[in-house]
């Protein structure tokens, strides 16, 4: 049975993609998601609905590329609205600083230094806020798990595909609320 949707079987107990994701999000991340949801529901969806209606009024829908494209795009926007609505309901917004600002917790900006003296700056955020350009990593990532509850000058060890890597925490900051 070959097909384009066939994948190799993975044991759910050992598959890291099946691990439960945390439902934490920063206040800025929640505001961004609410903004996207608002834009999609107030601007994009009505705009696409109008386009679909206009294209449908032209007649034969089976050969109408404008109708087909806009209908697919409208369905994609509706699915995204549904996903964001459900996701925002289950997210827990972390909108206060931790009691101990000398330790690494959710929302922390962390400066690290590796064995060669190379500097690395990260921020620990929720799964919905990951940004590789800004180096914002998920709290569920192995690096973030190794950093949690550590302080300045603490050493951490992270297992990477290239082997173990050692870092030293050089600074911890939190965004002001």
């Amino acid at each position: 049975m070959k097909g384009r949707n066939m994948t190799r079987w993975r044991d759910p107990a050992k598959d890291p993609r099946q691990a439960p994701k945390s439902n934490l999000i920063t206040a800025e991340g929640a505001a961004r998601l609410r903004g996207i949801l608002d834009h999609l529901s107030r601007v994009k969806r009505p705009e696409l609905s109008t386009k679909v209606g206009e294209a449908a009024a032209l007649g034969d829908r089976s050969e109408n590329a404008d109708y087909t494209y806009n209908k697919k795009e409208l369905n994609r926007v509706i699915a995204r609205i549904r996903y964001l609505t459900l996701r925002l309901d289950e997210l827990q917004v972390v909108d206060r600083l931790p009691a101990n600002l000398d330790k690494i917790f959710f929302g922390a900006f962390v400066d690290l230094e590796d064995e060669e003296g190379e500097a690395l700056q990260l921020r620990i955020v929720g799964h919905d806020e990951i940004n590789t350009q800004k180096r914002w990593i998920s709290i569920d990532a192995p690096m973030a798990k190794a950093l949690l509850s550590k302080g300045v000058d603490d050493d951490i060890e992270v297992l990477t595909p290239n082997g173990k890597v050692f870092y030293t925490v050089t600074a911890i900051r939190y965004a002001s609320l």
Side-chain angles (χ1 to χ4, degrees):
M1 282 183 59
K2 287 190 174 185
R4 63 187 178 129
N5 293 327
M6 298 292 293
T7 59
R8 89 169 204 248
W9 183 83
R10 291 181 174 91
D11 183 7
K14 297 178 182 175
D15 188 3
R17 296 174 301 166
Q18 302 297 326
K21 303 279 188 266
S22 64
N23 287 329
L24 300 176
I25 191 167
T26 62
E28 310 96 68
R32 188 181 61 81
L33 288 182
R34 281 190 206 97
I36 292 170
L37 176 62
D38 186 55
H39 173 74
L40 290 176
S41 57
R42 291 181 189 254
V43 177
K44 197 73 171 169
R45 183 178 178 181
E47 178 183 298
L48 287 170
S49 295
T50 303
K51 286 183 180 180
V52 168
E54 290 170 357
L58 295 176
D60 187 10
R61 295 178 188 170
S62 64
E63 295 180 9
N64 189 337
D66 194 33
Y67 173 82
T68 304
Y69 172 77
N70 286 317
K71 184 68 175 177
K72 284 182 182 179
E73 189 67 17
L74 178 62
N75 288 335
R76 190 187 67 76
V77 167
I78 290 171
R80 184 75 176 152
I81 289 170
R82 187 177 312 121
Y83 170 77
L84 287 173
T85 303
L86 294 173
R87 187 69 180 144
L88 282 168
D89 286 342
E90 65 189 22
L91 287 173
Q92 179 183 354
V93 179
V94 178
D95 56 356
R96 62 182 185 276
L97 295 174
N100 185 356
L101 297 178
D102 296 330
K103 298 286 183 184
I104 299 171
F105 296 107
F106 183 81
F109 290 92
V110 183
D111 294 344
L112 302 170
E113 189 175 290
D114 66 6
E115 295 172 310
E116 287 83 40
E118 295 287 324
L120 175 67
Q121 296 176 338
L122 303 170
R123 183 176 188 197
I124 300 174
V125 294
H127 180 71
D128 299 287
E129 301 175 272
I130 297 171
N131 186 330
T132 54
Q133 279 78 31
K134 293 182 179 180
R135 294 195 182 239
W136 289 9
I137 62 172
S138 170
I139 192 165
D140 300 316
M143 173 72 96
K145 288 180 180 180
L147 286 169
L148 289 176
S149 299
K150 301 291 186 198
V152 175
D153 293 331
D154 284 350
D155 294 326
I156 64 159
E157 172 185 321
V158 180
L159 186 61
T160 66
N162 297 333
K164 292 181 182 178
V165 180
F166 298 93
Y167 292 98
T168 302
V169 178
T170 57
I172 303 168
R173 297 178 312 285
Y174 289 91
S176 58
L177 299 176

